[in-house]
Amino acid sequence: MTGVEQAAQAEQRVQPVDERVGSLVAGRYLVERLIGRGGMATVYEAADQQLPRRVALKIFKPELADGDDMRRHEAEVALLASLNHPGLVTLYDASTTEDGGAVLILELVQGDDLRQTMDDRPLPGEEVAVIGAAVADALSYSHDRGIVHRDVKPGNILVPAHDGTDTAPRAKLADFGIARLVDETRVTATGAVLGTAHYLSPEQAVGGEVGAASDMYSLGLVLLEALTGERTFPGTGVESAAARLARDPFLPPDMSPEWNGLIRALTAREPGDRPTAREAAERLRSIASIPAFRPVDESLDATRVLPALATAATEVMNADEPTAAMSRPGAGDATRAPDRAAGIPSDRRSRIDARIEVLKTRPIAVAVTILAAIALVLVGYGASTAIASLVFADAPPAEPAYPAVEGVLGEHLEQLQRSVAP
């Protein structure tokens, strides 16, 4: 068996098998392959036998919708078929199958839906903004005509394949107005839900009135999931629906302020606090070039060690030189004195040397001079004490405290102290 034959067999095994493949629907559309199955309908790719085009057939389950429903909602079908916007999957026609089931003939979009795209990876902020703006534009167009989608979710947002050079829309919103064509009473009786639990608005979760603001809440959850790669309200349908009634969506702390503000506004619990689709589209286009999350500079360490700065009192020694032992200071230490005096000017150094010589040759005169200076200080101190005793007669005179001095000088100081004592 050749490699080509093996590949063909592998493709046949992967391709889903359906009894409608190869059959003619509504006498006009030849079913070629199964695209996917949902809770309400099955979607096929088919070839139009009257016009040279390929279409998508959405065939509803008989218990949810039949040919009578299509005829009863003929006005709604005509309204949906009249919608013409690049961000919407075009509805060509509505018909019935041979067994009486309801079928919609839709534009065929080549590419994946947003669910398949997000399963691979979180999307860059620019790509999310471009896709979100296209969806918001489509919602704005339909809201202006009184049509609410009610089931905005990744699986209903188609991302057409493109090569980067074409001008085709980056996203198309599918299944618009299905709620207008399906009997809601019968849907509830069969346990189906018009709207996916993970993307329901709070008013949808409690069965309240649903308007255009409900679509905006769902779009906010879709954008947040596309940015983070995580579903905002996980869990079972009941858990997910109840969670949004108890808390707001969690936004990553590193999300940029522009994206944070938009997602917060779209997912406000009160419908009146949410922006319109037109406002959301404008904001998404304005932040398309802004990163969704603040970049982290991985080249920076968490803690940087700064180098120590050398001061004037610090001398960097050569590591190769041995450490010299310091000599003990003494009278014969002739090596350090020149170092200390190296910075003194020569004239000042000569005056200092002269004064030192006087101290050596005339010790008695120097001692007498010192004693005279001390005596003047003591006499001045005694006089101030006497004056203070006159001013503050009631206070006992304080005993002056003199420093202790030993030797002959100390004896002279004691005599002076007694002579000035009151």
Side-chain angles (χ1 to χ4, degrees), residues 23-369:
S23 65
L24 198 65
V25 174
R28 177 175 175 176
Y29 304 101
L30 179 62
V31 179
E32 295 188 346
R33 71 180 182 94
L34 171 67
I35 295 179
R37 290 189 177 92
M40 297 172 56
T42 304
V43 182
Y44 301 92
E45 179 180 350
D48 190 341
Q49 300 300 294
Q50 298 183 10
L51 296 174
R53 65 181 180 184
R54 310 187 74 77
V55 297
L57 302 180
K58 190 178 187 73
I59 301 177
F60 291 92
K61 293 180 178 180
E63 64 270 20
L64 298 180
D66 54 23
D68 292 336
D69 293 321
M70 293 297 103
R71 287 185 287 273
R72 185 168 57 252
H73 297 292
E74 184 176 352
E76 284 82 355
V77 173
L79 176 61
L80 293 175
S82 69
L83 297 178
N84 183 18
H85 190 275
L88 293 177
V89 176
T90 304
L91 172 62
Y92 294 139
D93 197 4
S95 184
T96 58
T97 62
E98 285 68 18
D99 55 2
V103 56
L104 297 179
I105 297 88
L106 302 161
E107 172 190 3
L108 178 66
V109 179
Q110 299 290 350
D112 295 329
D113 59 43
L114 189 58
R115 164 56 54 207
Q116 295 169 314
T117 305
M118 291 193 309
D119 284 344
D120 295 336
R121 71 197 191 289
L123 304 183
E126 181 179 2
E127 185 174 355
V128 175
V130 172
I131 292 174
V135 174
D137 279 333
L139 288 171
S140 176
Y141 174 85
S142 60
H143 289 170
D144 289 344
R145 288 155 180 78
I147 302 176
V148 179
H149 192 288
R150 299 187 62 166
D151 195 17
V152 178
K153 62 181 180 181
N156 281 338
I157 299 175
L158 306 183
V159 183
H162 66 94
D163 57 6
T165 60
D166 54 29
T167 58
R170 294 294 300 273
K172 282 180 170 286
L173 191 57
D175 280 0
F176 224 114
I178 295 301
R180 307 276 300 255
L181 306 179
V182 179
D183 191 334
E184 191 168 351
T185 303
R186 293 167 64 182
V187 170
T188 304
T190 56
V193 178
L194 285 177
T196 305
H198 296 101
Y199 307 97
L200 292 177
S201 65
E203 54 268 30
Q204 280 180 296
V206 298
E209 183 178 355
V210 176
S214 178
D215 287 343
M216 304 315 299
Y217 185 95
S218 300
L219 176 61
L221 295 185
V222 171
L223 296 177
L224 180 57
E225 183 176 345
L227 291 172
T228 62
E230 297 180 358
R231 187 169 289 173
T232 306
F233 297 111
T236 64
V238 175
E239 293 172 343
S240 178
R244 74 209 59 221
L245 302 177
R247 65 174 178 87
D248 294 325
F250 171 77
L251 302 185
D254 59 341
M255 179 173 282
S256 68
E258 294 81 4
W259 275 103
N260 186 296
L262 176 60
I263 299 298
R264 287 289 185 204
L266 288 172
T267 57
R269 296 194 204 182
E270 292 297 327
D273 295 336
R274 301 169 199 157
T276 65
R278 181 176 289 104
E279 292 169 345
E282 293 174 355
R283 292 178 66 174
L284 283 164
R285 277 189 285 269
S286 68
I287 65 177
S289 60
I290 299 176
F293 302 97
R294 291 187 292 272
V296 177
D297 189 353
E298 298 180 353
S299 64
L300 297 178
D301 298 332
T303 303
R304 174 174 293 178
V305 179
L306 297 177
L309 298 178
T311 62
T314 303
E315 182 180 356
V316 180
M317 299 183 64
N318 190 346
D320 296 332
E321 295 180 358
T323 302
M326 297 182 64
S327 58
R328 185 176 179 179
D333 189 357
T335 60
R336 290 196 297 167
D339 293 338
R340 290 197 303 268
I344 302 176
S346 58
D347 56 343
R348 182 180 178 186
R349 187 164 56 247
S350 61
R351 289 196 299 270
I352 295 174
D353 294 340
R355 292 176 182 176
I356 294 174
E357 185 64 26
V358 169
L359 291 176
K360 292 180 180 180
T361 57
R362 300 178 181 179
I364 297 176
V366 172
V368 171
T369 303

